[in-house]
Amino acid sequence: SIYLSIYLSIYLSICLSVCLSVCLYKHEFRGGVRGYEEDELVYEPSKYGSLWPLPQKVRVSEVSFKLPSASFKIVDAKESSAGPSCSLLQNAYRRYYEYMFGSVRKPGYVKSRAAGPSEISELQVWITSADSECDSYPSLTSDESCEFALPHCLETFSQLVYEDAYGAKNINSTTISDFPRFAHRGILLDTSRHFLPIKVILANLEAMAMNKFNVFHWHIVDDPSFPYLSRTFPQLSQQGAYHPYTHVYTPADVKMIIEFARLRGIRVIPEFDTPGHTQSWGKGQKDLLTPCYSGTTPSGTFGPVNPILNTTYSFMRQLFSEISSVFPDAYVHLGGDEVDFSCWRSNPDIQNFMEQQGFGQDYSKLESFYIQKLLDIVTTTQKGYMIWQEVFDNGVKLKPDTLIHVWKGNQQQYKDEMANITSAGYHTLLSTPWYLNRISYGQDWQGVYRADPQDFKGTEAQKKLVIGGEACLWGEYVDATNLTPRLWPRASAVAERLWSAKEVTDISDAYSRLSMHRCRLVERGIPAEPLFTSFCPHEYKGV
C-alpha cells in the first residue's frame, strides 16, 4: 500500500494513509430499493461538516486557520517522489485551487510572505510511493497509489475548506486516515438510447471525481443507435447512428474522454453488448443479425446476432481487436443479457444447427455456444471481461478472473445471486438496487444509501470477492436536458456506500452532510437536484 501525507505548515497536518485498490433497457424494474421506509429527516449540522463520502477515520478539532486566497499555493514537497513532470498532479493542483477559491484571488502577482500565526499559505503534497510513474492509467488491480489516490485526497482537503461570515476561507485542524472500502466504484451512462454530447459526459466525469467514483462504465451502443465511430467498420455508425456526423463519437472524442477521466483517476470501461441489444449493429453489417421467420418465410425482421455463421466471429475478432487498442483499460464489458430466443427458434437454419450440435430445444445452450466463442476472441486481445449475470446463470464456461455484474431481481433474489456467484469463486459487482433511472417522489436516496453489496449470506472469503458496484442511469428517458440532476446527488449515496466503512449507516448524519455536499456540487457548476426544501448559499447559476 501507499502512504500519502499532506502537510499544511506546522499548524495543520492531514495524514491520508492510502491503501487503495486502485443498466435500463432491462424492460422491468427488478431493483432492491423498494421495501425501505423513508425517514423524515431534520437538518442538524454534522460533526464531520460536509465531508462526502465520509473518510474511514476522521478527527476534526475546533482550532481553525485562515487560507489567504491571494497567496495560497499547492506545491510538491521536496521529499515527494513525484514532481512538476507529473501532469496528473499539476492538473489536480490547478483544478482544486479553483474549487476552493474560484474567482476570489485578486489578479496579478502576489509576493509570497510568511504565514501569520493563524494562517496556512501552502499545501505541500508529499508522495511517498517508490514508483513515481504518475501518468499511467488506473486499473482494477492497482492500489490507487499516488497518481490515483491524490485527486481523492485533494477532494477531501477541499471539502474541509469553508467560508466564515465575512467570506474568508478557513480550515480546521483535522486528521484523516482514508481508503476506499471497494476497488470498483462505477457509474454507467447509456449513450445509445439518447446521444449524450461530449460536454455532458465530461461534466459528469468531473462530478464523479467529486464523489470519488473511479469507473465510467460507458454503455456506448445498443439497439436504438450505434454512435461509436469504428475505424475498422465505419459503416456501423454511418448506418446505425441517429446521424452519421452529429450523433457519433469520433476516435478523437473517445481519446479526449479517456484522457479527461485519467486525469481524475477514473477508468473508462466500454460495453459492447451482444448477442442481444444489437439491432443498430445490423444496419451497417450485413448478415450479422439472425433473420426471423413467420412460418416458412422470412418476416423481414431480425433478432440477435447470428451465432452459426463463421462471418460473425470474423467480424467480432476484428471489432474487438480495435476496441482493445482504443480503450486502454484491462477490461471490456461484453453484456450478454436479455437474449430473446424467439427469432432463433423461428429460423430453420438455426433449428438445423441446434439438431447437429445436440442442443435439443435448449436455446440457452446456443447462447452459451456464442458467448464462449466471443470470450475466446476477447481473451486473445489480452483483455479481461465483465458480463451481466445471465451469462453465469446459463452455465457458460468462464475464466477465473471474470467479473460478473448483478442487475436482476428483487432484494432477496439479488442477494441469492451474489451468494451463488461468490460461492463459485467469481468476483462480482452489484447494480440491482442502484438503477437511478428509476425515480419516485420523495427522498429515494435513502433506499439507495441503505443497500450494501456485501449484505448476503456467505463466508468472509465470499464477501471479499465483491469488488464493488455501479450506479446505472439508463437512457430511455434521459438526455442532456435532465441527466445530471437526475443522477446527482442520488449517485452520491452510492458513492458513500462504496467508499466509506460498512458501519457508516446513520441516515440523519448522512442527510446533513449530503445536503451540504449537494450545495457544494451546485457551487461547482453541477446542477444537482435538492434532497428536500432548502437553499444553498451559492445557488446554481447555469440556467
Side-chain angles (χ1 to χ4, degrees):
S1 68
I2 304 301
Y3 296 92
L4 178 153
S5 298
I6 300 180
Y7 289 100
L8 303 182
S9 77
I10 63 172
Y11 300 107
L12 178 65
S13 175
I14 299 177
C15 303
L16 297 93
S17 302
V18 185
C19 16
L20 314 180
S21 293
V22 93
C23 308
L24 174 66
Y25 198 58
K26 320 272 191 255
H27 300 288
E28 57 182 295
F29 175 65
R30 306 178 177 108
V33 299
R34 290 181 178 175
Y36 288 116
E37 292 292 326
E38 183 181 301
D39 292 344
E40 291 187 15
L41 302 173
V42 177
Y43 178 85
E44 293 286 347
S46 169
K47 66 179 180 179
Y48 301 115
S50 64
L51 288 174
W52 195 279
L54 191 67
Q56 298 290 330
K57 294 180 181 179
V58 56
R59 188 171 68 249
V60 183
S61 83
E62 305 223 341
V63 178
S64 67
F65 302 93
K66 294 197 179 300
L67 276 62
S69 59
S71 57
F72 184 83
K73 294 182 294 184
I74 307 174
V75 298
D76 301 299
K78 291 179 181 178
E79 303 88 345
S80 180
S81 60
S85 64
C86 176
S87 65
L88 185 146
L89 291 183
Q90 304 308 316
N91 182 287
Y93 297 167
R94 290 189 292 271
R95 190 165 71 252
Y96 277 94
Y97 180 90
E98 287 300 316
Y99 284 163
M100 290 184 285
F101 299 107
S103 59
V104 172
R105 189 172 188 176
K106 301 289 191 296
Y109 175 74
V110 177
K111 186 177 180 181
S112 297
R113 59 177 177 81
S118 62
E119 287 186 349
I120 297 163
S121 61
E122 192 171 84
L123 169 63
Q124 293 187 11
V125 178
W126 182 6
I127 307 298
T128 60
S129 168
D131 178 13
S132 60
E133 277 298 315
C134 141
D135 284 325
S136 58
Y137 289 98
S139 71
L140 177 66
T141 55
S142 73
D143 62 2
E144 280 188 291
S145 57
C146 61
E147 66 267 35
F148 311 134
L150 186 67
H152 301 324
C153 298
L154 286 176
E155 176 61 39
T156 302
F157 175 78
S158 74
Q159 292 183 7
L160 292 168
V161 177
Y162 62 92
E163 282 186 3
D164 62 21
Y166 303 99
K169 301 293 183 176
N170 295 262
I171 191 166
N172 283 20
S173 179
T174 306
T175 302
I176 291 175
S177 176
D178 204 13
F179 54 89
R181 181 179 168 204
F182 294 104
H184 186 115
R185 308 177 304 281
I187 295 284
L188 179 150
L189 296 181
D190 169 9
T191 58
S192 172
R193 293 175 177 86
H194 284 98
F195 181 82
L196 298 179
I198 299 292
K199 183 178 179 180
V200 173
I201 295 176
L202 299 184
N204 280 277
L205 286 169
E206 195 79 75
M208 284 174 62
M210 295 173 193
N211 289 271
K212 301 185 183 177
F213 281 104
N214 68 344
V215 176
F216 170 36
H217 176 168
W218 192 354
H219 190 88
I220 192 168
V221 299
D222 207 296
D223 282 329
S225 73
F226 196 105
Y228 172 75
L229 201 168
S230 165
R231 292 182 186 273
T232 311
F233 299 102
Q235 72 273 16
L236 291 172
S237 60
Q238 286 171 359
Q239 301 297 321
Y242 286 130
H243 190 283
Y245 307 139
T246 61
H247 286 62
V248 295
Y249 301 106
T250 68
D253 294 334
V254 173
K255 186 176 181 180
M256 177 173 60
I257 288 169
I258 292 170
E259 176 62 7
F260 191 91
R262 183 190 71 81
L263 290 172
R264 287 151 184 80
I266 298 171
R267 302 162 56 199
V268 178
I269 298 179
E271 181 181 355
F272 288 82
D273 188 359
T274 66
H277 294 279
T278 48
Q279 289 298 300
S280 65
W281 302 45
K283 295 177 181 179
Q285 187 64 21
K286 185 181 178 184
D287 297 330
L288 180 64
L289 303 185
T290 303
C292 306
Y293 276 68
S294 178
T296 57
T297 58
S299 66
T301 61
F302 295 87
V305 166
N306 192 330
I308 70 173
L309 300 180
N310 290 334
T311 52
T312 292
Y313 301 104
S314 174
F315 165 79
M316 292 296 175
R317 191 172 293 108
Q318 293 178 72
L319 178 63
F320 279 96
S321 176
E322 174 187 323
I323 291 167
S324 70
S325 65
V326 169
F327 292 90
D329 197 80
Y331 282 83
V332 61
H333 203 302
L334 300 178
D337 62 313
E338 295 187 318
V339 181
D340 182 358
F341 296 153
S342 59
C343 183
W344 282 352
R345 214 176 265 122
S346 74
N347 186 292
D349 292 331
I350 288 185
Q351 293 169 8
N352 292 335
F353 184 83
M354 292 282 288
E355 185 177 346
Q356 293 168 10
Q357 295 293 322
F359 291 164
Q361 294 299 307
D362 188 352
Y363 282 83
S364 67
K365 290 183 177 178
L366 181 60
E367 178 189 16
S368 296
F369 173 85
Y370 166 81
I371 292 286
Q372 187 57 62
K373 281 184 169 290
L374 180 63
L375 298 185
D376 291 342
I377 287 169
V378 173
T379 299
T380 65
T381 69
Q382 309 303 311
K383 293 286 189 186
Y385 47 78
M386 299 170 60
I387 44 90
W388 295 111
Q389 68 183 76
E390 287 96 322
V391 179
F392 169 81
D393 295 342
N394 291 338
V396 175
K397 184 181 177 182
L398 301 170
K399 291 191 303 180
D401 63 345
T402 300
L403 301 182
I404 300 173
H405 197 164
V406 174
W407 71 275
K408 294 173 68 175
N410 59 32
Q411 189 181 65
Q412 189 55 55
Q413 288 169 332
Y414 81 68
K415 289 181 178 183
D416 291 342
E417 184 78 7
M418 299 288 282
N420 292 337
I421 291 169
T422 54
S423 67
Y426 291 107
H427 287 90
T428 184
L429 64 153
L430 179 66
S431 280
T432 311
W434 298 324
Y435 268 39
L436 301 185
N437 47 288
R438 294 286 303 187
I439 58 175
S440 62
Y441 191 78
Q443 297 192 49
D444 60 352
W445 71 270
Q446 294 183 28
V448 169
Y449 188 78
R450 288 185 170 104
D452 192 295
Q454 289 183 329
D455 185 14
F456 61 89
K457 292 181 180 178
T459 64
E460 284 306 306
Q462 282 179 255
K463 303 212 172 162
K464 287 180 180 177
L465 292 173
V466 179
I467 65 166
E470 291 183 357
C472 299
L473 195 68
W474 296 96
E476 287 89 347
Y477 305 101
V478 174
D479 68 3
T481 66
N482 65 343
L483 183 150
T484 305
R486 186 166 292 191
L487 186 58
W488 308 104
R490 295 158 74 234
S492 303
V494 183
E496 179 150 294
R497 183 56 51 234
L498 295 176
W499 180 282
S500 303
K502 184 179 178 68
E503 297 72 30
V504 177
T505 56
D506 186 331
I507 284 284
S508 294
D509 184 72
Y511 175 70
S512 299
R513 290 183 292 107
L514 186 55
S515 296
M516 295 177 71
H517 179 60
R518 177 255 166 179
C519 283
R520 176 167 47 238
L521 294 176
V522 167
E523 184 178 3
R524 293 179 180 182
I526 304 297
E529 68 180 17
L531 300 180
F532 194 53
T533 54
S534 62
F535 79 98
C536 292
H538 302 275
E539 294 288 0
Y540 183 63
K541 295 181 173 63
V543 177

